[in-house]
Amino acid sequence: MSLSARRLTKHYGAAPGYEAVCEASLDLRAGEFVSIVGRSGSGKSTLLAMLGALTRPTDGLVLLDGVDIWSMPEAELARFRGRHIGFVFQFPSLLGNLTALDNVAVPALLGRTMAARAAYARAFDLLGRVGLADRAGSYPGTLSGGEQRRVVIARALVNAPRLVLADEPTSDLDEETEADIFALLEELQQAEAFALVLVTHNLELAQRAQRTYEMRQGILTASDLAGVASADAQRKHGFRPTPASHSRETPPPPVPIRLGAGLWSAARPLVLGGAVGLAGLFLVNLVVARVQEEQIRTRDSRLAQLSNLALARLQSEVGSILDLGEGAYEFAIALRNVEPTTPIYVGTPDLHAYVQVDAGWQEVPLQPVSEAASGIAVVAADMLLYRYRFEARAENFTQLLPHYMHMRFSATMLVSQSRQPKDDIFERKDNYYVYLKPFDVTDEMVLKRMKFSGKPPLWIPMPPH
């Protein structure tokens, strides 16, 4: 990979306006580490945004392997940015309602660079490499500043980018944590072989790069940092430059200052900072929306699979009804798996029995009588039966069929594809309708009103209605 920036310029506002970056040129080879230093407002972040396809330059080219990235259509540019460039911003910008693992996997899920399972496997591996495997399920609010920055670095690498852009990645950390994070970034850069452009105020860190640059009022120049580092060291240790000589001459009178002349220079950092903040909020909102869309699609797909499992592959019907005498009966639900090679797990059905009396339904006593009617059971190759005992001695029952009680059995059961389900549970509801011969009605009484080829059946199944 080779990155070449040619005379990049970013101009804000109408003439005369403000030139944040002026004709900056930079070449970067595969696996190379380059640092950029400069004061706040010198144009470092703007340059990084143009290199990373976040901010379109007013003029100039950004060539990746000879292709001008800013000539790409917006959709292609977004795909390029998501797959080939990793960003480590000045602040963590983690999504607070997602775990560390989810935050790292987000770029792969949104960019669809790999399947969801592979994305989470890659995310977990990266969290392990940055020392946070045991914090994968933690939310950003429970992580320290250094831990959040490690998550951000892992997130930047999830798509195995060829280029990583780091904008003041350790500015808000203490010196010890800053050193640890930077050592980690260097180690990952060597292991993953990505090119790295680092913007930093820390001159000691900047000097560890293979090449260094300095930004001054939007102009990028190569630098060995020797003079800058010396001046920085003097400021750090309290030294001040000593005048070469003292003059007794009367100083010239001050030049009058025009009212408001320094307003733009004072306000410029605030305006630019506000613009960057708004852009950051927009990006965060966009990512949250995309993540939520992905979560909705994933949830809908999972629900569709569960629905097919519970309603199509699992068949349920009345297995049998036995007469126990004196108005007591045994009712059995039969469950079958039409694809027995893949087991289905079901919870205990919650069953209720009703007899129709006039236009309503009167519930009758019912209780489970088999071991299968408790806990979680698997429906595989064999039929699974749930048996219940109920009593039906209703008076004045509605006779839709002469001498037969019209009965409804309502069952609710939880269905899953795993033995210890978490969120992969489907609630299935079934109603079974039968005509049941009462215990105190003889076969002769039934045969006087209805014709059967033999003995009147104890129960007659009816389709759901």
PDB file of all heavy atoms in Angstrom, residues 309-331:
ATOM      1  N   LEU A 309     -39.035 -22.777  13.645  1.00  0.00           N
ATOM      2  CA  LEU A 309     -38.745 -23.907  14.531  1.00  0.00           C
ATOM      3  C   LEU A 309     -39.981 -24.306  15.327  1.00  0.00           C
ATOM      4  O   LEU A 309     -40.340 -25.496  15.397  1.00  0.00           O
ATOM      5  CB  LEU A 309     -37.609 -23.522  15.478  1.00  0.00           C
ATOM      6  CG  LEU A 309     -37.239 -24.541  16.563  1.00  0.00           C
ATOM      7  CD1 LEU A 309     -36.295 -25.577  15.982  1.00  0.00           C
ATOM      8  CD2 LEU A 309     -36.549 -23.848  17.746  1.00  0.00           C
ATOM      9  N   ALA A 310     -40.645 -23.315  15.920  1.00  0.00           N
ATOM     10  CA  ALA A 310     -41.741 -23.595  16.844  1.00  0.00           C
ATOM     11  C   ALA A 310     -43.049 -23.932  16.142  1.00  0.00           C
ATOM     12  O   ALA A 310     -43.861 -24.693  16.675  1.00  0.00           O
ATOM     13  CB  ALA A 310     -41.951 -22.399  17.775  1.00  0.00           C
ATOM     14  N   LEU A 311     -43.283 -23.374  14.963  1.00  0.00           N
ATOM     15  CA  LEU A 311     -44.580 -23.544  14.313  1.00  0.00           C
ATOM     16  C   LEU A 311     -44.570 -24.534  13.154  1.00  0.00           C
ATOM     17  O   LEU A 311     -45.585 -25.170  12.889  1.00  0.00           O
ATOM     18  CB  LEU A 311     -45.094 -22.184  13.816  1.00  0.00           C
ATOM     19  CG  LEU A 311     -45.282 -21.121  14.894  1.00  0.00           C
ATOM     20  CD1 LEU A 311     -45.750 -19.817  14.271  1.00  0.00           C
ATOM     21  CD2 LEU A 311     -46.263 -21.590  15.953  1.00  0.00           C
ATOM     22  N   ALA A 312     -43.446 -24.645  12.460  1.00  0.00           N
ATOM     23  CA  ALA A 312     -43.397 -25.524  11.292  1.00  0.00           C
ATOM     24  C   ALA A 312     -42.752 -26.867  11.616  1.00  0.00           C
ATOM     25  O   ALA A 312     -43.278 -27.927  11.256  1.00  0.00           O
ATOM     26  CB  ALA A 312     -42.646 -24.830  10.155  1.00  0.00           C
ATOM     27  N   ARG A 313     -41.613 -26.815  12.302  1.00  0.00           N
ATOM     28  CA  ARG A 313     -40.905 -28.075  12.577  1.00  0.00           C
ATOM     29  C   ARG A 313     -41.498 -28.837  13.754  1.00  0.00           C
ATOM     30  O   ARG A 313     -41.351 -30.052  13.845  1.00  0.00           O
ATOM     31  CB  ARG A 313     -39.429 -27.775  12.856  1.00  0.00           C
ATOM     32  CG  ARG A 313     -38.641 -27.395  11.608  1.00  0.00           C
ATOM     33  CD  ARG A 313     -37.211 -27.094  11.946  1.00  0.00           C
ATOM     34  NE  ARG A 313     -36.653 -28.098  12.839  1.00  0.00           N
ATOM     35  CZ  ARG A 313     -35.572 -27.915  13.576  1.00  0.00           C
ATOM     36  NH1 ARG A 313     -34.955 -26.747  13.551  1.00  0.00           N
ATOM     37  NH2 ARG A 313     -35.113 -28.869  14.357  1.00  0.00           N
ATOM     38  N   LEU A 314     -42.164 -28.144  14.677  1.00  0.00           N
ATOM     39  CA  LEU A 314     -42.748 -28.802  15.845  1.00  0.00           C
ATOM     40  C   LEU A 314     -44.246 -28.995  15.624  1.00  0.00           C
ATOM     41  O   LEU A 314     -44.995 -28.027  15.489  1.00  0.00           O
ATOM     42  CB  LEU A 314     -42.503 -27.967  17.098  1.00  0.00           C
ATOM     43  CG  LEU A 314     -43.023 -28.556  18.415  1.00  0.00           C
ATOM     44  CD1 LEU A 314     -42.305 -29.851  18.748  1.00  0.00           C
ATOM     45  CD2 LEU A 314     -42.862 -27.546  19.549  1.00  0.00           C
ATOM     46  N   GLN A 315     -44.661 -30.235  15.547  1.00  0.00           N
ATOM     47  CA  GLN A 315     -46.076 -30.544  15.376  1.00  0.00           C
ATOM     48  C   GLN A 315     -46.680 -30.950  16.717  1.00  0.00           C
ATOM     49  O   GLN A 315     -46.070 -31.687  17.492  1.00  0.00           O
ATOM     50  CB  GLN A 315     -46.265 -31.671  14.362  1.00  0.00           C
ATOM     51  CG  GLN A 315     -45.889 -31.285  12.938  1.00  0.00           C
ATOM     52  CD  GLN A 315     -46.176 -32.390  11.941  1.00  0.00           C
ATOM     53  OE1 GLN A 315     -46.445 -33.528  12.306  1.00  0.00           O
ATOM     54  NE2 GLN A 315     -46.109 -32.051  10.660  1.00  0.00           N
ATOM     55  N   SER A 316     -47.893 -30.454  16.962  1.00  0.00           N
ATOM     56  CA  SER A 316     -48.568 -30.730  18.235  1.00  0.00           C
ATOM     57  C   SER A 316     -50.009 -31.132  17.958  1.00  0.00           C
ATOM     58  O   SER A 316     -50.685 -30.515  17.122  1.00  0.00           O
ATOM     59  CB  SER A 316     -48.521 -29.476  19.121  1.00  0.00           C
ATOM     60  OG  SER A 316     -49.264 -29.676  20.300  1.00  0.00           O
ATOM     61  N   GLU A 317     -50.483 -32.158  18.650  1.00  0.00           N
ATOM     62  CA  GLU A 317     -51.854 -32.633  18.468  1.00  0.00           C
ATOM     63  C   GLU A 317     -52.310 -33.396  19.703  1.00  0.00           C
ATOM     64  O   GLU A 317     -51.505 -33.673  20.611  1.00  0.00           O
ATOM     65  CB  GLU A 317     -51.945 -33.548  17.243  1.00  0.00           C
ATOM     66  CG  GLU A 317     -51.056 -34.772  17.341  1.00  0.00           C
ATOM     67  CD  GLU A 317     -51.048 -35.606  16.070  1.00  0.00           C
ATOM     68  OE1 GLU A 317     -51.484 -35.101  15.014  1.00  0.00           O
ATOM     69  OE2 GLU A 317     -50.587 -36.765  16.130  1.00  0.00           O
ATOM     70  N   VAL A 318     -53.609 -33.718  19.740  1.00  0.00           N
ATOM     71  CA  VAL A 318     -54.137 -34.525  20.843  1.00  0.00           C
ATOM     72  C   VAL A 318     -53.661 -35.959  20.646  1.00  0.00           C
ATOM     73  O   VAL A 318     -53.941 -36.587  19.624  1.00  0.00           O
ATOM     74  CB  VAL A 318     -55.675 -34.477  20.885  1.00  0.00           C
ATOM     75  CG1 VAL A 318     -56.188 -35.360  22.036  1.00  0.00           C
ATOM     76  CG2 VAL A 318     -56.155 -33.043  21.049  1.00  0.00           C
ATOM     77  N   GLY A 319     -52.916 -36.468  21.631  1.00  0.00           N
ATOM     78  CA  GLY A 319     -52.411 -37.840  21.521  1.00  0.00           C
ATOM     79  C   GLY A 319     -53.463 -38.870  21.871  1.00  0.00           C
ATOM     80  O   GLY A 319     -53.662 -39.852  21.146  1.00  0.00           O
ATOM     81  N   SER A 320     -54.169 -38.639  22.945  1.00  0.00           N
ATOM     82  CA  SER A 320     -55.199 -39.598  23.373  1.00  0.00           C
ATOM     83  C   SER A 320     -56.018 -38.983  24.501  1.00  0.00           C
ATOM     84  O   SER A 320     -55.595 -38.012  25.144  1.00  0.00           O
ATOM     85  CB  SER A 320     -54.562 -40.903  23.869  1.00  0.00           C
ATOM     86  OG  SER A 320     -53.753 -40.658  25.017  1.00  0.00           O
ATOM     87  N   ILE A 321     -57.225 -39.546  24.732  1.00  0.00           N
ATOM     88  CA  ILE A 321     -58.048 -39.230  25.900  1.00  0.00           C
ATOM     89  C   ILE A 321     -58.556 -40.560  26.441  1.00  0.00           C
ATOM     90  O   ILE A 321     -59.149 -41.361  25.696  1.00  0.00           O
ATOM     91  CB  ILE A 321     -59.232 -38.308  25.551  1.00  0.00           C
ATOM     92  CG1 ILE A 321     -58.726 -36.972  24.987  1.00  0.00           C
ATOM     93  CG2 ILE A 321     -60.086 -38.047  26.797  1.00  0.00           C
ATOM     94  CD1 ILE A 321     -59.834 -36.006  24.624  1.00  0.00           C
ATOM     95  N   LEU A 322     -58.320 -40.804  27.729  1.00  0.00           N
ATOM     96  CA  LEU A 322     -58.749 -42.052  28.374  1.00  0.00           C
ATOM     97  C   LEU A 322     -59.812 -41.754  29.423  1.00  0.00           C
ATOM     98  O   LEU A 322     -59.743 -40.730  30.121  1.00  0.00           O
ATOM     99  CB  LEU A 322     -57.553 -42.738  29.035  1.00  0.00           C
ATOM    100  CG  LEU A 322     -56.355 -43.085  28.122  1.00  0.00           C
ATOM    101  CD1 LEU A 322     -55.231 -43.692  28.951  1.00  0.00           C
ATOM    102  CD2 LEU A 322     -56.786 -44.020  27.004  1.00  0.00           C
ATOM    103  N   ASP A 323     -60.785 -42.655  29.536  1.00  0.00           N
ATOM    104  CA  ASP A 323     -61.844 -42.534  30.540  1.00  0.00           C
ATOM    105  C   ASP A 323     -61.380 -43.235  31.811  1.00  0.00           C
ATOM    106  O   ASP A 323     -61.168 -44.459  31.826  1.00  0.00           O
ATOM    107  CB  ASP A 323     -63.128 -43.161  30.003  1.00  0.00           C
ATOM    108  CG  ASP A 323     -64.318 -42.933  30.940  1.00  0.00           C
ATOM    109  OD1 ASP A 323     -64.114 -42.347  32.023  1.00  0.00           O
ATOM    110  OD2 ASP A 323     -65.443 -43.325  30.570  1.00  0.00           O
ATOM    111  N   LEU A 324     -61.215 -42.476  32.908  1.00  0.00           N
ATOM    112  CA  LEU A 324     -60.785 -43.050  34.187  1.00  0.00           C
ATOM    113  C   LEU A 324     -61.962 -43.373  35.092  1.00  0.00           C
ATOM    114  O   LEU A 324     -61.774 -43.903  36.197  1.00  0.00           O
ATOM    115  CB  LEU A 324     -59.839 -42.078  34.905  1.00  0.00           C
ATOM    116  CG  LEU A 324     -58.573 -41.663  34.116  1.00  0.00           C
ATOM    117  CD1 LEU A 324     -57.741 -40.697  34.950  1.00  0.00           C
ATOM    118  CD2 LEU A 324     -57.757 -42.879  33.723  1.00  0.00           C
ATOM    119  N   GLY A 325     -63.195 -43.045  34.653  1.00  0.00           N
ATOM    120  CA  GLY A 325     -64.385 -43.347  35.428  1.00  0.00           C
ATOM    121  C   GLY A 325     -64.817 -42.220  36.334  1.00  0.00           C
ATOM    122  O   GLY A 325     -64.004 -41.385  36.763  1.00  0.00           O
ATOM    123  N   GLU A 326     -66.132 -42.131  36.556  1.00  0.00           N
ATOM    124  CA  GLU A 326     -66.722 -41.151  37.458  1.00  0.00           C
ATOM    125  C   GLU A 326     -66.375 -39.707  37.067  1.00  0.00           C
ATOM    126  O   GLU A 326     -66.150 -38.854  37.925  1.00  0.00           O
ATOM    127  CB  GLU A 326     -66.283 -41.414  38.899  1.00  0.00           C
ATOM    128  CG  GLU A 326     -66.690 -42.765  39.435  1.00  0.00           C
ATOM    129  CD  GLU A 326     -68.218 -42.940  39.403  1.00  0.00           C
ATOM    130  OE1 GLU A 326     -68.935 -41.943  39.699  1.00  0.00           O
ATOM    131  OE2 GLU A 326     -68.678 -44.048  39.080  1.00  0.00           O
ATOM    132  N   GLY A 327     -66.296 -39.434  35.758  1.00  0.00           N
ATOM    133  CA  GLY A 327     -66.064 -38.068  35.281  1.00  0.00           C
ATOM    134  C   GLY A 327     -64.610 -37.651  35.228  1.00  0.00           C
ATOM    135  O   GLY A 327     -64.319 -36.479  34.965  1.00  0.00           O
ATOM    136  N   ALA A 328     -63.683 -38.604  35.505  1.00  0.00           N
ATOM    137  CA  ALA A 328     -62.252 -38.299  35.432  1.00  0.00           C
ATOM    138  C   ALA A 328     -61.683 -38.837  34.118  1.00  0.00           C
ATOM    139  O   ALA A 328     -62.052 -39.932  33.678  1.00  0.00           O
ATOM    140  CB  ALA A 328     -61.515 -38.900  36.619  1.00  0.00           C
ATOM    141  N   TYR A 329     -60.778 -38.069  33.523  1.00  0.00           N
ATOM    142  CA  TYR A 329     -60.204 -38.448  32.225  1.00  0.00           C
ATOM    143  C   TYR A 329     -58.706 -38.134  32.233  1.00  0.00           C
ATOM    144  O   TYR A 329     -58.208 -37.356  33.042  1.00  0.00           O
ATOM    145  CB  TYR A 329     -60.860 -37.667  31.079  1.00  0.00           C
ATOM    146  CG  TYR A 329     -62.350 -37.871  30.966  1.00  0.00           C
ATOM    147  CD1 TYR A 329     -63.227 -37.091  31.729  1.00  0.00           C
ATOM    148  CD2 TYR A 329     -62.876 -38.810  30.092  1.00  0.00           C
ATOM    149  CE1 TYR A 329     -64.587 -37.258  31.626  1.00  0.00           C
ATOM    150  CE2 TYR A 329     -64.245 -38.980  29.974  1.00  0.00           C
ATOM    151  CZ  TYR A 329     -65.100 -38.202  30.746  1.00  0.00           C
ATOM    152  OH  TYR A 329     -66.452 -38.372  30.637  1.00  0.00           O
ATOM    153  N   GLU A 330     -58.002 -38.783  31.292  1.00  0.00           N
ATOM    154  CA  GLU A 330     -56.585 -38.481  31.075  1.00  0.00           C
ATOM    155  C   GLU A 330     -56.421 -37.945  29.653  1.00  0.00           C
ATOM    156  O   GLU A 330     -56.859 -38.569  28.686  1.00  0.00           O
ATOM    157  CB  GLU A 330     -55.703 -39.713  31.263  1.00  0.00           C
ATOM    158  CG  GLU A 330     -54.213 -39.387  31.122  1.00  0.00           C
ATOM    159  CD  GLU A 330     -53.328 -40.614  31.271  1.00  0.00           C
ATOM    160  OE1 GLU A 330     -53.107 -41.042  32.425  1.00  0.00           O
ATOM    161  OE2 GLU A 330     -52.871 -41.133  30.229  1.00  0.00           O
ATOM    162  N   PHE A 331     -55.768 -36.783  29.562  1.00  0.00           N
ATOM    163  CA  PHE A 331     -55.573 -36.110  28.277  1.00  0.00           C
ATOM    164  C   PHE A 331     -54.078 -36.078  27.967  1.00  0.00           C
ATOM    165  O   PHE A 331     -53.255 -35.798  28.855  1.00  0.00           O
ATOM    166  CB  PHE A 331     -56.127 -34.684  28.356  1.00  0.00           C
ATOM    167  CG  PHE A 331     -55.904 -33.852  27.129  1.00  0.00           C
ATOM    168  CD1 PHE A 331     -56.794 -33.900  26.063  1.00  0.00           C
ATOM    169  CD2 PHE A 331     -54.806 -33.002  27.029  1.00  0.00           C
ATOM    170  CE1 PHE A 331     -56.597 -33.123  24.941  1.00  0.00           C
ATOM    171  CE2 PHE A 331     -54.607 -32.221  25.908  1.00  0.00           C
ATOM    172  CZ  PHE A 331     -55.498 -32.277  24.853  1.00  0.00           C
TER     173      PHE A 331
END
